[in-house]
């Protein structure tokens, strides 16, 4: 039999590797930004067009590359970050695998311009699908510029699996945030379709968070600082009252590298136990500094997963540090509700020893019972009074009694209330209850062939969904004016999303009196929307738009109707009166598609008499 195993060509191997490294345009953004940071750049610019499908370009003022390095950088496993396997346990750079540029060049058109400071001219290399098209000498500034165009041009199936521009842009912004938060000492600028989205100057960590998420974020942050032999923690956690329904503002950085860790996230959740409302998530921006020898980053090509030597110790320290910060800044509740906060010892005084005894001055000759003499007269501390006789207490009662009788003689009392017998009226028809609620979750109703079991949450979603669609399509809606406008604060990206759906929101009954770069003011809401639910509705709407997977029937109006219906629908566990149950059942079967919720889940089932009979065999 002939040999059947053969080596793959380099361009095929690079395309296979690209499947792990480059999953979407955001992956390209991450790799190029991290390369710029490893090049010791102080100013990094990111240019994106069409959510990265047309162009992703990163320009930095780093150290640049020589002619040889520029050409070699696109080879597989070629890197300047490590020299031997032992270096994997002393990593101080973002990249080290040498796969990123080779993988990107295999599935896109790449143009590289680079120059070192001591060189007079730079190098330009153009690569299309792993093939070097040209290599020229050019005049350029110090640093490196890499432009990635037409991503997945030679893998059309992969390109078709990309989401909408809005979703892909959201992923790019997320990666940009992660890199920018890890390095507040570097200036980052981002342009999307020619307009400036972010301009983050060099700053401290708190200012970087505020510059990204809006000025209102400053008052939400609680500092966390702890240093032990094993772990150093610095950063901020959000106050419990500002917790969100989504996990958007949760960032862990280990040695300035963004990671995802459900285990460490549980430590934060445990520290906030008892402080958060149901289904809300606390925000945190925490930097963990550990010995590089105690972690393994080489788990996945994306390098967002890390193995720790002793996770249990990190868990305990992290949880205790967050709880301590919440208590230190009076965020966590205390048992003594009359405690005077002014008596608390400042945390900075914890290391002060040998406190001094305070000096107390007092008059040793003071006597409160001593009689004082003023100008020949004696003044005592107590006034002496002679008690009156006991019989004087009854003087005048006779006249008072006579007056009282006169007063009562003129008082008129209400006539006795007439109450009828509950059995007296035989003409009243007794109304028969036709619906019943079970476990505050399901509504049971009878039909000719058996019984009907309705999921109250899904059913109400269907009713509200069709109402909202009708209002937004016909553009006729009722709105109730608020006595005091509601002001809500959002990040610039969230404000942009609200602007995109503002017209549809107004068709449902929302009225906006002001929209700025960091907050909105609402002066009117739909009739059936309580004022307390406005922030919940908008947060849920923003989350749904950011994470929506578009399909052939995708439209902003449909998404808005689904999101609002999900937020306002009757929740599982909510008690409904008999009238509410009947109204929900009647409204459901007045819908065009009563059997499915807006998310294509079953709203009700029927149990026939035959099925019930089988249960009693």
């Amino acid at each position: 039999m002939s040999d059947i195993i053969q080596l793959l060509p380099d361009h095929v191997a690079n395309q296979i590797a690209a499947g792990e490294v480059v999953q979407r345009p955001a992956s390209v953004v991450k790799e190029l930004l991290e390369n710029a940071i490893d090049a010791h750049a102080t100013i990094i610019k990111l240019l994106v067009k069409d959510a990265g499908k047309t162009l992703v370009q990163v320009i930095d003022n780093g150290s640049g590359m020589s002619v040889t390095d520029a050409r070699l950088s696109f080879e597989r496993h070629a890197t300047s970050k490590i020299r031997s396997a032992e270096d994997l346990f002393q990593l101080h750079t973002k990249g080290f695998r040498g796969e990123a540029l080779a993988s990107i060049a295999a599935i896109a058109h790449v143009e590289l311009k680079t120059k070192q400071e001591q060189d007079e001219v730079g190098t330009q290399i153009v690569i299309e699908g792993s093939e070097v098209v040209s290599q020229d000498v050019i005049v350029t500034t110090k640093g490196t510029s890499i432009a990635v165009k037409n991503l997945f041009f030679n893998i059309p199936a992969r390109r078709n699996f990309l989401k909408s521009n809005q979703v892909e842009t959201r992923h790019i912004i997320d990666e940009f945030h992660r890199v920018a938060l890890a390095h507040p000492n570097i200036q980052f600028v981002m342009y999307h379709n020619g307009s400036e989205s972010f301009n983050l100057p060099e700053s401290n960590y708190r200012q970087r968070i505020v510059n990204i998420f809006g000025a209102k974020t400053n008052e939400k942050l609680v500092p966390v600082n702890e240093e032990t032999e094993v772990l150093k923690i610095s950063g901020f956690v959000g106050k419990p009252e500002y917790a969100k329904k989504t996990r958007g503002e949760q960032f862990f950085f280990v040695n300035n590298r963004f990671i995802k860790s459900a285990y460490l996230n549980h430590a934060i959740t445990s520290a906030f136990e008892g402080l958060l409302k149901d289904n809300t998530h606390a925000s945190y921006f925490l930097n963990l500094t550990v010995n590089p020898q105690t972690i393994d980053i080489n788990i996945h090509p994306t390098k967002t997963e890390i193995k720790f030597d002793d996770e249990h110790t990190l868990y305990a320290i992290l949880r205790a540090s967050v709880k301590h910060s919440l208590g230190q800044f009076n965020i966590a509740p205390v048992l003594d509700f009359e405690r005077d906060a002014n008596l608390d010892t400042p945390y900075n005084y914890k290391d002060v020893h040998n406190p001094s005894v305070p000096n107390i001055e007092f008059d040793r000759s003071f006597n409160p019972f001593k009689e004082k003499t003023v100008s020949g007269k004696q003044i005592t501390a107590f006034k002496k009074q002679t008690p009156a006789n006991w019989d004087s207490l009854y003087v005048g009662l006779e006249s008072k009694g006579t007056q009282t009788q006169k007063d009562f003689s003129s008082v008129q009392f209400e006539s006795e209330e007439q109450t009828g017998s509950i059995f007296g009226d035989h003409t009243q028809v007794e109304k028969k209850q036709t619906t019943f609620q079970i476990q505050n979750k399901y509504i049971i109703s009878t039909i000719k062939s058996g019984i009907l079991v309705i999921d109250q949450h899904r059913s109400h979603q269907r009713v509200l969904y069709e109402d909202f669609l009708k209002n937004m399509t016909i553009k006729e809606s009722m709105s109730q004016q608020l006595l005091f406008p509601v002001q809500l604060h959002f990040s610039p990206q969230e404000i942009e999303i609200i602007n995109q759906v503002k017209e549809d929101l107004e068709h449902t009954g929302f009225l906006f009196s002001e929209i700025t770069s960091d907050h909105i003011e609402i002066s009117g809401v739909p009739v059936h929307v309580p004022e307390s639910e406005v922030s919940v509705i908008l947060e849920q709407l923003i989350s749904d738009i950011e994470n929506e997977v578009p399909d052939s029937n995708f439209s902003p109006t449909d998404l808005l109707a689904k999101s609002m219906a999900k937020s306002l629908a009757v929740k599982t566990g909510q008690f409904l009166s008999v009238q509410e149950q009947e109204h929900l059942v009647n409204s459901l079967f007045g819908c065009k598609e009563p059997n499915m919720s807006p998310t294509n889940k079953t709203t009700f089932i029927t149990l026939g008499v035959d099925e019930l009979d089988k249960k009693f065999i």
Side-chain angles (χ1 to χ4, degrees), residues 148-368:
V148 179
K149 305 173 184 177
N150 304 323
L151 192 65
F152 300 123
F153 80 99
N154 53 356
I155 312 179
R158 192 65 174 272
R159 190 178 181 88
N160 292 336
F161 275 104
L162 293 178
K163 306 297 190 296
S164 66
N165 284 358
Q166 197 168 26
V167 175
E168 294 299 339
T169 302
R170 182 69 242 173
H171 285 287
I172 290 174
I173 292 176
D174 286 342
E175 291 293 348
F176 181 79
H177 286 173
R178 293 165 183 173
V179 177
L181 284 171
H183 300 275
N185 58 330
I186 300 176
Q187 179 181 351
F188 287 90
V189 184
M190 176 178 171
Y191 297 90
H192 184 236
N193 289 338
S195 61
E196 184 179 277
S197 300
F198 294 95
N199 191 341
L200 309 175
E202 181 181 349
S203 62
N204 60 34
Y205 193 43
R206 191 182 194 115
Q207 290 172 332
R208 177 56 56 89
I209 295 173
V210 171
N211 289 336
I212 291 177
F213 296 102
K216 193 69 176 178
T217 313
N218 190 34
E219 64 185 55
K220 305 178 185 179
L221 302 178
V222 177
V224 179
N225 289 288
E226 196 68 48
E227 187 169 358
T228 65
E229 296 179 356
V230 179
L231 173 67
K232 179 182 177 182
I233 304 174
S234 64
F236 301 90
V237 294
K239 294 180 181 178
E241 58 264 32
Y242 296 106
K244 292 190 172 184
K245 293 280 186 180
T246 59
R247 300 178 179 267
E249 299 178 1
Q250 295 184 340
F251 297 90
F252 274 125
F253 301 97
V254 174
N255 295 351
N256 293 330
R257 183 191 302 275
F258 173 79
I259 68 160
K260 297 177 182 178
S261 174
Y263 187 68
L264 296 183
N265 179 73
H266 188 272
I268 304 294
T269 306
S270 178
F272 275 91
E273 186 176 3
L275 302 177
L276 298 176
K277 298 179 182 178
D278 292 337
N279 299 321
T280 59
H281 307 280
S283 303
Y284 53 81
F285 312 86
L286 295 176
N287 296 300
L288 312 181
T289 304
V290 299
N291 186 345
Q293 295 183 351
T294 62
I295 59 176
D296 185 5
I297 304 171
N298 192 22
I299 303 297
H300 192 272
T302 59
K303 299 183 283 292
T304 56
E305 300 176 16
I306 289 183
K307 293 291 185 182
F308 297 94
D309 275 359
D310 191 355
E311 283 188 330
H312 299 290
T313 302
L314 298 183
Y315 182 99
I317 296 175
L318 185 60
R319 179 177 179 272
S321 300
V322 174
K323 284 186 72 72
H324 175 260
S325 292
L326 293 175
Q328 175 187 348
F329 291 92
N330 294 329
I331 305 300
V334 293
L335 294 177
D336 186 4
F337 297 100
E338 297 181 358
R339 177 180 61 87
D340 187 358
N342 295 325
L343 300 179
D344 291 347
T345 302
Y347 186 64
N348 295 334
Y349 288 8
K350 63 182 177 60
D351 298 326
V352 177
H353 301 289
N354 301 323
S356 59
V357 179
N359 295 324
I360 303 175
E361 297 181 0
F362 58 91
D363 185 4
R364 295 181 180 276
S365 62
F366 176 73
N367 184 1

Side-chain angles (χ1 to χ4, degrees), residues 409-437:
S409 63
S410 60
V411 174
Q412 294 182 355
F413 295 94
E414 294 181 359
S415 60
E416 184 178 356
E417 183 179 357
Q418 298 294 328
T419 57
S421 172
I422 60 175
F423 302 104
D425 188 5
H426 297 286
T427 60
Q428 183 177 2
V429 179
E430 182 181 357
K431 188 175 181 180
K432 186 176 180 180
Q433 182 176 349
T434 58
T435 60
F436 303 89
Q437 190 179 22

Side-chain angles (χ1 to χ4, degrees), residues 477-544:
S477 60
M478 297 290 291
S479 178
Q480 60 181 6
Q481 294 290 322
L482 299 177
L483 185 60
F484 301 103
V486 175
Q487 191 176 86
L488 302 174
H489 292 265
F490 295 100
S491 67
Q493 303 79 44
E494 294 169 338
I495 295 289
E496 184 179 348
I497 293 174
I498 291 176
N499 273 321
Q500 294 172 0
V501 295
K502 176 186 174 185
E503 186 177 352
D504 289 329
L505 284 171
E506 289 174 340
H507 292 158
T508 64
F510 283 97
L511 295 179
F512 298 91
S513 56
E514 183 183 15
I515 298 181
T516 66
S517 60
D518 64 344
H519 75 272
I520 64 173
E521 195 172 82
I522 299 175
S523 57
V525 296
V527 175
H528 47 272
V529 175
E531 183 180 338
S532 59
E533 292 289 324
V534 172
S535 61
V536 177
I537 292 172
L538 293 181
E539 284 184 12
Q540 183 66 53
L541 172 64
I542 291 169
S543 174
D544 290 342

